[in-house]
Amino acid sequence: MARLDHGATKAKIFLAPGDAHRDDSLKWVSRSNIASQSSIASGVLDVVKLTSGRTLCSRGAGVLAFADDLRHGYQAVERSGRVLSALAICINDYRITLKRRVPMEDEEERARCLRDCHQRCATRTLSVLEKNGSIFIKLGQHLSAMNYLLPPEWTTTFIPLQDKCPVSSYKSIEDMFVKDTGESISTYFSEFTQQPIGAASLAQVHLATIKETGQKVAVKVQHPRLQEWGALDLALTRFTFSTVKRWFPEYDLEWLSSELEFSLPQELDFAREGQNAMRAKEYFSHIPELPVVIPDVIWAKSRILVMENVSGHRPDDLEYLDSNGIDRDEVSAALARIFNEMIFGNNAPLHCDPHGGNLAIRKNTKRKGADFDVIIYDHGLYRDIPLDIRRSYAKLWLAVIDADLPRMRKYAHEVAGITDEQFPLFASAITGRDFRVLSKSVIAPRTERERDDMSAALGDGMLQQLVQLLGQVPRIILLILKTNDLTRSLDENLHTRQGPVRTFLILARYCSRTVFEEELDGIKARGSLLWPTNVVRLAGAWWSFWRVELKLRGFELWLGVKRAVGLV
């Protein structure tokens, strides 16, 4: 069984402000609700005109064509109207709430008032996402994982979208197949299940048998309606962000819609996804010690992808892991090695959507080392990390692990142009930890108090700063942050005995290797490695690398011994 993604495009329809203490958060309160709704309505009508791309009364069109245009036009207005009304109501709700909080002296009452507003607006938004479906489901799925940016009322409300995906009819799939290939499904396949074995926000998967070879395959097909509504939905998203920025200038979220407009067309191009999959498969074929399995691609079109049928279980299916004797700690370590290889490996492709729906674990007693495979699906969104960013990012993490604040500040500036003032917030964003913990040890287990403190901070003004910060960092850093956040979530869901300690050790080893490779390149640039001065430099680089490596190996060995005797 092939799996599809259950979330992830970095974008948002309605984002709530989290800070009402600043005066500029309230400067729009004096405007009338009627004015806000009329201005939004005017903008949405422009969006509909620009994106529907159809004329309701085409001259010379037949009755059927006219009826089709009429249907499309009505649905476009209805679709836009849902976004319009919810956006207007949410903006007004926040304006009224922020105004009501000003005279409140009780901090708990102020916080409760804002939490209630978050919940009301999140619930309204969820209804719009579910009714509009398509790309909006995709947006909501990713928002549910953005707990580093959104209040918990938003993220928890959107969790049901993880399992609520549309299913396109078999008839619509047949029609799309003929349109895209010029042939019917039966031309290529002797068997093709009419019911999909899995569905996601952008596509669904059917099992099939290739007629010529008899091979069992998984066929990933895009939801046909995406082509009809994609342009309108993207325009509505762009309009929403610009409107939020207009009413709450300190919450500039347009970078999210920009990222969506950049990444979504790539995710919808299944031919590109097939190329990405084969590139990743080729890369990991040279690292056999990593238990990576990527299904072969048989052939691909823009909206159709035929691939080898490889099945497994979600990595958070703890019952499957335990019943098959698969060590959760080893699964955690394997995932850490795979995605650190993608980030720090030379010319490695970075999978930017590694959530639980895009990964699977299966038992494999024939593999040397690990007794399981890690199957990676959904290769639509890939990036290449520039060498200079990769190396500075490695130095940043080594500084984080060493709790060396001056070096952390230095490399945060190199990686993303972070100032000293922004640094504490950026450090918390990349690690998912309270900054006060980072000055001691990032490896320390996360406590409930730390989680509560970070959630409270988002409601006390940090959310606004974080939104502004993420709007200025390079796009590739945003995607690395997203990958870090998703892999961190995977590790927490495994409930390992060692906690995050071992994954940080693995991260440190990859960072140390990256820094050593940079030093080696610098020595080579100075001339032959046999020159006396270069021999000294090489010896120093080797010593620095192996000093860290032996320390990490020793600590990992100690953890293994403790695990073997049941001390962890």
Side-chain angles (χ1 to χ4, degrees):
M1 169 178 168
R3 291 176 183 263
L4 282 178
D5 62 304
H6 286 282
T9 299
K10 193 172 275 289
K12 179 164 181 32
I13 297 300
F14 310 119
L15 243 181
D19 178 22
H21 296 286
R22 291 183 47 179
D23 292 340
D24 57 355
S25 296
L26 303 172
K27 67 183 181 180
W28 300 104
V29 171
S30 60
R31 301 194 178 193
S32 69
N33 183 30
I34 295 176
S36 69
Q37 293 190 23
S38 62
S39 64
I40 295 173
S42 173
V44 169
L45 288 175
D46 289 339
V47 170
V48 175
K49 291 176 183 177
L50 288 171
T51 59
S52 63
R54 300 190 182 205
T55 305
L56 297 181
C57 300
S58 300
R59 294 181 179 177
V63 174
L64 292 178
F66 174 79
D68 185 61
D69 284 346
L70 186 63
R71 176 195 60 81
H72 180 92
Y74 173 79
Q75 292 180 354
V77 172
E78 182 181 44
R79 196 177 189 84
S80 304
R82 294 191 189 108
V83 176
L84 161 65
S85 58
L87 178 59
I89 294 171
C90 287
I91 287 178
N92 191 58
D93 196 349
Y94 274 112
R95 290 171 57 218
I96 293 174
T97 299
L98 295 176
K99 185 177 181 179
R100 284 178 53 202
R101 292 178 78 232
V102 172
M104 293 181 182
E105 296 182 359
D106 186 343
E107 284 300 319
E108 178 58 32
E109 180 65 16
R110 290 167 61 91
R112 185 195 62 77
C113 182
L114 186 58
R115 286 197 302 269
D116 290 346
C117 182
H118 287 328
Q119 188 60 60
R120 289 192 302 271
C121 293
T123 302
R124 294 187 195 106
T125 303
L126 176 66
S127 177
V128 173
L129 300 182
E130 290 178 329
K131 289 178 180 177
N132 276 9
S134 188
I135 291 173
F136 291 103
I137 297 292
K138 180 80 170 176
L139 302 182
Q141 288 172 342
H142 182 57
L143 293 176
S144 67
M146 293 178 67
N147 50 18
Y148 60 90
L149 180 60
L150 303 180
E153 291 78 16
W154 284 87
T155 56
T156 55
T157 298
F158 290 158
I159 286 177
L161 293 175
Q162 296 287 353
D163 299 314
K164 188 164 187 173
C165 297
V167 175
S168 298
S169 68
Y170 180 70
K171 177 65 167 60
S172 68
I173 297 301
E174 277 189 312
D175 293 342
M176 185 184 74
F177 202 94
V178 172
K179 182 177 180 180
D180 288 10
T181 68
E183 302 286 350
S184 66
I185 288 177
S186 60
T187 302
Y188 291 97
F189 305 108
S190 57
E191 296 179 357
F192 193 97
T193 58
Q194 295 197 15
Q195 292 299 318
I197 60 170
S201 55
L202 303 182
Q204 61 192 46
V205 171
H206 296 257
L207 290 179
T209 302
I210 297 178
K211 181 177 292 187
E212 291 185 356
T213 64
Q215 181 182 0
K216 301 289 185 180
V217 294
V219 183
K220 180 178 178 180
V221 290
Q222 195 175 117
H223 294 304
R225 286 173 61 85
L226 285 173
Q227 189 174 68
E228 181 179 12
W229 297 117
L232 174 60
D233 292 349
L234 285 174
L236 286 169
T237 304
R238 182 170 58 250
F239 171 77
T240 299
F241 285 124
S242 65
T243 302
V244 170
K245 180 181 178 181
R246 175 186 174 188
W247 291 100
F248 303 101
E250 66 275 21
Y251 294 99
D252 183 359
L253 301 165
E254 290 187 304
W255 58 271
L256 287 173
S257 60
S258 297
E259 173 57 31
L260 173 65
E261 291 186 70
F262 179 82
S263 62
L264 191 60
Q266 297 187 41
E267 292 190 78
L268 293 177
D269 185 353
F270 290 178
R272 175 192 287 268
E273 178 178 342
Q275 295 170 359
N276 289 340
M278 290 299 92
R279 179 189 172 194
K281 188 178 184 72
E282 165 64 18
Y283 181 86
F284 281 103
S285 69
H286 301 287
I287 316 176
E289 61 270 23
L290 293 181
V292 177
V293 172
I294 296 175
D296 279 325
V297 174
I298 312 302
W299 59 267
K301 295 279 187 179
S302 178
R303 296 192 291 174
I304 304 168
L305 179 63
V306 181
M307 52 191 164
E308 177 187 9
N309 181 31
V310 183
S311 62
H313 292 255
R314 286 179 60 102
D316 56 4
D317 186 345
L318 303 184
E319 182 180 350
Y320 171 78
L321 299 181
D322 295 342
S323 62
N324 284 273
I326 300 175
D327 192 325
R328 300 183 195 178
D329 289 81
E330 292 305 316
V331 172
S332 171
L335 292 172
R337 292 189 181 99
I338 290 167
F339 286 101
N340 277 303
E341 183 64 42
M342 287 185 170
I343 292 174
F344 297 108
N346 289 321
N347 300 315
L350 174 63
H351 190 304
C352 296
D353 201 11
H355 57 82
N358 286 341
L359 299 168
I361 307 297
R362 71 175 181 184
K363 184 77 172 180
N364 184 354
T365 56
K366 297 180 180 180
R367 180 180 288 278
K368 294 182 179 180
D371 61 349
F372 59 87
D373 294 326
V374 177
I375 308 167
I376 305 179
Y377 306 109
D378 197 353
H379 305 269
L381 190 58
Y382 267 60
R383 291 291 190 280
D384 291 280
I385 303 177
L387 181 61
D388 58 334
I389 290 181
R390 173 154 45 91
R391 288 175 169 175
S392 293
Y393 189 66
K395 295 172 189 174
L396 171 62
W397 266 108
L398 287 177
V400 169
I401 293 171
D402 290 339
D404 188 331
L405 292 179
R407 284 170 53 219
M408 289 165 63
R409 293 178 185 274
K410 174 185 176 182
Y411 294 117
H413 180 73
E414 286 188 12
V415 166
I418 301 301
T419 65
D420 285 345
E421 181 182 1
Q422 297 169 323
F423 170 71
L425 187 58
F426 179 75
S428 292
I430 67 170
T431 61
R433 304 299 301 270
D434 189 316
F435 180 69
R436 291 167 294 186
V437 173
L438 299 181
S439 61
K440 300 174 183 177
S441 175
V442 72
I443 298 177
R446 190 197 310 269
T447 63
E448 286 299 324
R449 180 176 179 180
E450 181 186 352
R451 290 188 177 92
D452 293 341
D453 288 345
M454 292 189 70
S455 295
L458 283 177
D460 290 336
M462 188 181 292
L463 175 62
Q464 172 192 333
Q465 300 172 40
L466 183 58
V467 168
Q468 294 173 343
L469 173 65
L470 295 180
Q472 75 176 53
V473 302
R475 175 180 284 136
I476 187 64
I477 297 300
L478 290 177
L479 290 170
I480 293 175
L481 289 177
K482 173 184 170 184
T483 301
N484 282 345
D485 191 55
L486 291 171
T487 53
R488 187 161 48 238
S489 176
L490 285 172
D491 186 66
E492 291 178 352
N493 291 337
L494 282 168
H495 301 289
T496 59
R497 289 166 292 177
Q498 297 173 342
V501 175
R502 192 177 182 191
T503 57
F504 276 117
L505 291 176
I506 293 170
L507 169 64
R509 179 168 291 137
Y510 276 89
C511 292
S512 179
R513 185 189 74 180
T514 301
V515 171
F516 171 73
E517 290 172 350
E518 180 182 13
E519 292 177 346
L520 191 60
D521 286 345
I523 295 171
K524 291 179 180 178
R526 293 173 179 267
S528 172
L529 293 178
L530 299 179
W531 288 2
T533 55
N534 282 347
V535 170
V536 174
R537 293 189 183 96
L538 181 61
W542 269 106
W543 167 244
S544 297
F545 172 75
W546 279 105
R547 180 166 54 86
V548 174
E549 180 69 16
L550 291 174
K551 184 190 301 184
L552 294 173
R553 288 189 181 185
F555 192 48
E556 191 167 11
L557 178 62
W558 170 239
L559 287 176
V561 171
K562 291 176 65 177
R563 187 171 72 251
V565 299
L567 295 180
V568 293

